[in-house]
Amino acid sequence: MLPPTGSLVFIQDGPLDQALPSVGVPYEAGLDIGRWIKMGEPVRLRLQADNRLWRAESWNVVGELVGQEPDGPFIVVGGHLDGHDIAQGAIDNASGIVAVTEIARALAPHREQLQHSVRFIAFGVEELGMLGSHAYV
């Protein structure tokens, strides 16, 4: 039920003090708060956030099935490797990486029939501003 938390704005090469810490409120909790306000009850919230920012390295993992036109346009099938602090990537986006892997596995025996190359990319650092895909492009 928890929404993502983290940086609201992050400039990849900018100073770390430009990142704005953010905290998500679950939809259900927002409905409860709205209901309490409508009932005329005083609503008091307390929020404490402990934020630490640091620079680190990440990688994109790229595989390719080369088509009949290797220098022509290509198709990208991608997902992201990183998870979020509350889900550890179980759904977002391990399921996407499984789909990318399975599409590669299914197409591999038919690589000679591919007109265009297909690149399979597992992006890093997508949860904090789509940095992996931005770096790749």
Side-chain angles (χ1 to χ4, degrees):
M1 183 171 99
L2 296 173
T5 59
S7 296
L8 189 58
V9 175
F10 187 77
I11 299 171
Q12 185 174 1
D13 297 322
L16 289 177
D17 63 359
Q18 290 181 357
L20 302 174
S22 65
V23 176
V25 177
Y27 176 76
E28 293 83 357
L31 291 175
D32 285 341
I33 293 167
R35 192 180 71 239
W36 297 331
I37 291 170
K38 286 180 182 176
M39 291 175 16
E41 297 291 327
V43 177
R44 188 183 255 184
L45 301 172
R46 179 171 183 244
L47 174 66
Q48 179 178 339
D50 179 20
N51 299 290
R52 293 175 300 276
L53 299 173
W54 63 91
R55 296 211 186 277
E57 278 189 272
S58 179
W59 297 267
N60 294 327
V61 178
V62 181
E64 183 170 26
L65 293 174
V66 179
Q68 296 171 13
E69 299 178 18
D71 296 327
F74 56 89
I75 298 165
V76 173
V77 179
H80 64 90
L81 287 170
D82 59 324
H84 213 284
D85 59 337
I86 59 171
Q88 301 303 315
I91 299 298
D92 180 13
N93 186 38
S95 57
I97 294 299
V98 168
V100 170
T101 305
E102 285 300 299
I103 293 167
R105 185 190 60 75
L107 286 178
H110 309 286
R111 69 183 76 200
E112 294 82 20
Q113 299 168 358
L114 297 173
Q115 181 178 352
H116 300 291
S117 296
V118 182
R119 289 193 188 159
F120 303 92
I121 308 174
F123 296 106
V125 196
E126 292 297 283
E127 295 287 5
L128 294 175
M130 296 191 235
L131 300 179
S133 56
H134 183 268
Y136 181 80
V137 170

